[in-house]
């Protein structure tokens, strides 16, 4: 990634409960990219995403759009990041549309029942993008886990922020919706948004992402185009697996196959 960076971190470290879980991570991510953040369980992916959004204290420097993150008021930060937390569960029995409308809160839309035309359009775009229009009036507590997670992603998209940080957005989705969500995030990136997706699905990551960050034990050990970042050596050293590699319809296919 050689263009002008939108989100940078320099020497980022995070300590949780007295233990260093992220160490000296430096990166520069540009708009218009779909970045897959991968690594084994406990590698620090969620921690990195949360630190980049300024949701947890960290050491080092983070800049978004040329501003030091620490210097931005909370509402300004919230406008810059659409953040989808891991395993996001909504407990309020609100209609799906109102949950998605929460994504407009940083823009001043405090009442989902009285959205401005601009906010209402953003909510509609986000709901259409992840195929949840049919649930619009249904209470989210009455939706399936996968349906609920698509509503949660729509909320993050509705922010219409320059940066989307999505923690395992495809985790509980059926295959068609996994592909739909990744296609949509790809299309969002192609419109100029920086999209960072945490995923354990290396196949989806290799197919849809154009840049990959590989974390291992809190350190960034590999990054670049998916085929390079997920080299056989990285697969073996970081994930302890071998992968089947191929190309189908001119797209990269990576299927985790056997342990090493
Ligand atoms: N609140 C916390 N207090 C102490 N340690 C934590 C806390 N949250 C996470 N950790 C530890 O930090 C490390 C990184 O956790 P993190 O959730 O970032 O990993 P991850 O790569 O997202 O993992 P997974 O793939 O399992 O979701 C882990 O060792 C975890 O046990």
């Amino acid at each position: 990634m050689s263009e002008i960076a939108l989100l940078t971190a320099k020497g980022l470290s995070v300590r949780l409960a007295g233990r260093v879980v992220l160490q000296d991570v430096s990166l520069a991510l540009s708009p218009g990219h779909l970045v897959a953040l991968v690594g084994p369980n406990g590698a620090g992916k969620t921690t990195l995403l949360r630190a980049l959004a300024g949701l947890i204290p960290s050491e080092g420097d983070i800049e978004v759009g040329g501003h030091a993150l620490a210097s931005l008021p909370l509402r300004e930060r919230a406008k810059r990041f659409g953040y989808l937390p891991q395993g996001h569960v909504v407990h309020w029995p609100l209609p799906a549309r109102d949950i998605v409308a929460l994504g407009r809160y940083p823009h001043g839309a405090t009442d989902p029942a009285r959205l401005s035309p601009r906010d209402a359009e953003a909510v509609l775009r986000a709901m259409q993008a992840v195929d949840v229009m049919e649930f619009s009036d249904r209470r989210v507590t009455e939706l399936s886990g996968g349906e609920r997670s698509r509503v949660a992603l729509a909320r993050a998209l509705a922010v219409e922020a320059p940066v989307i940080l999505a923690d395992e957005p495809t985790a509980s989705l059926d295959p068609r919706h996994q592909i739909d969500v990744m296609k949509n995030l790809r299309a969002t990136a192609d419109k100029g948004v920086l999209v960072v997706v945490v995923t354990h699905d290396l196949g989806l990551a290799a197919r849809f992402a154009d840049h990959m960050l590989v974390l291992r034990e809190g350190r960034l050990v590999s990054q670049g185009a998916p085929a390079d970042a997920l080299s056989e050596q990285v697969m073996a050293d970081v994930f302890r697996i071998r992968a089947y590699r191929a190309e189908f319809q001119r797209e990269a296919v990576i299927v985790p196959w056997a342990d090493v």
Side-chain angles (χ1 to χ4, degrees):
M1 248 183 235
S2 53
E3 310 95 301
I4 294 170
L6 173 60
L7 181 63
T8 62
K10 283 192 196 128
L12 192 64
S13 296
V14 172
R15 208 175 261 275
L16 294 174
R19 199 162 66 86
V20 176
V21 296
L22 209 60
Q23 202 164 4
D24 199 21
V25 170
S26 293
L27 45 81
L29 304 176
S30 306
H33 289 273
L34 175 51
V35 179
L37 173 54
V38 301
N41 287 136
K45 303 178 296 295
T46 294
T47 305
L48 175 56
L49 222 55
R50 299 185 74 210
L52 289 173
L55 299 172
I56 50 171
S58 58
E59 288 162 35
D61 298 316
I62 300 171
E63 283 190 9
V64 57
H67 299 278
L69 186 65
S71 72
L72 291 172
L74 273 183
R75 184 168 291 222
E76 288 306 312
R77 284 189 206 183
K79 279 186 198 166
R80 283 168 171 79
F81 295 100
Y83 179 71
L84 176 75
Q86 186 177 22
H88 185 72
V89 183
V90 178
H91 294 287
W92 307 297
L94 294 172
R97 189 189 44 244
D98 288 5
I99 296 295
V100 179
L102 291 175
R104 300 307 295 169
Y105 193 89
H107 299 276
T110 50
D111 182 355
R114 289 168 212 278
L115 294 180
S116 70
R118 190 162 165 255
D119 292 321
E121 279 161 26
V123 168
L124 186 66
R125 272 194 293 274
M127 293 185 78
Q128 284 171 336
V130 289
D131 192 22
V132 292
M133 280 305 288
E134 65 182 296
F135 312 131
S136 192
D137 295 322
R138 284 183 51 195
R139 293 181 180 150
V140 282
T141 42
E142 292 165 13
L143 297 177
S144 77
E147 290 164 352
R148 233 181 281 186
S149 71
R150 272 151 55 207
V151 171
L153 178 58
R155 184 193 55 72
L157 293 176
V159 182
E160 299 201 329
V163 184
I164 302 274
L165 303 174
D167 201 342
E168 300 199 27
T170 59
S172 52
L173 304 189
D174 63 50
R176 184 175 78 84
H177 283 107
Q178 287 182 23
I179 292 169
D180 277 359
V181 161
M182 290 304 288
K183 268 189 180 166
N184 184 265
L185 292 173
R186 176 72 260 170
T188 304
D190 290 341
K191 282 181 206 145
V193 174
L194 167 62
V195 182
V196 184
V197 175
V198 170
T199 182
H200 285 296
D201 191 323
L202 302 179
L204 280 180
R207 180 175 169 199
F208 289 102
D210 52 78
H211 192 78
M212 201 163 273
L213 304 170
V214 184
L215 270 184
R216 179 195 195 180
E217 295 173 2
R219 290 179 182 273
L220 197 52
V221 292
S222 177
Q223 67 169 308
D228 304 328
L230 286 182
S231 64
E232 276 181 37
Q233 193 69 46
V234 168
M235 285 292 213
D237 291 350
V238 176
F239 294 96
R240 320 298 293 167
I241 55 167
R242 277 182 296 132
Y244 167 78
R245 290 164 193 269
E247 205 182 272
F248 182 64
Q249 296 180 340
R250 279 189 257 149
E251 289 182 287
V253 175
I254 292 185
V255 184
W257 201 252
D259 55 358
V260 286

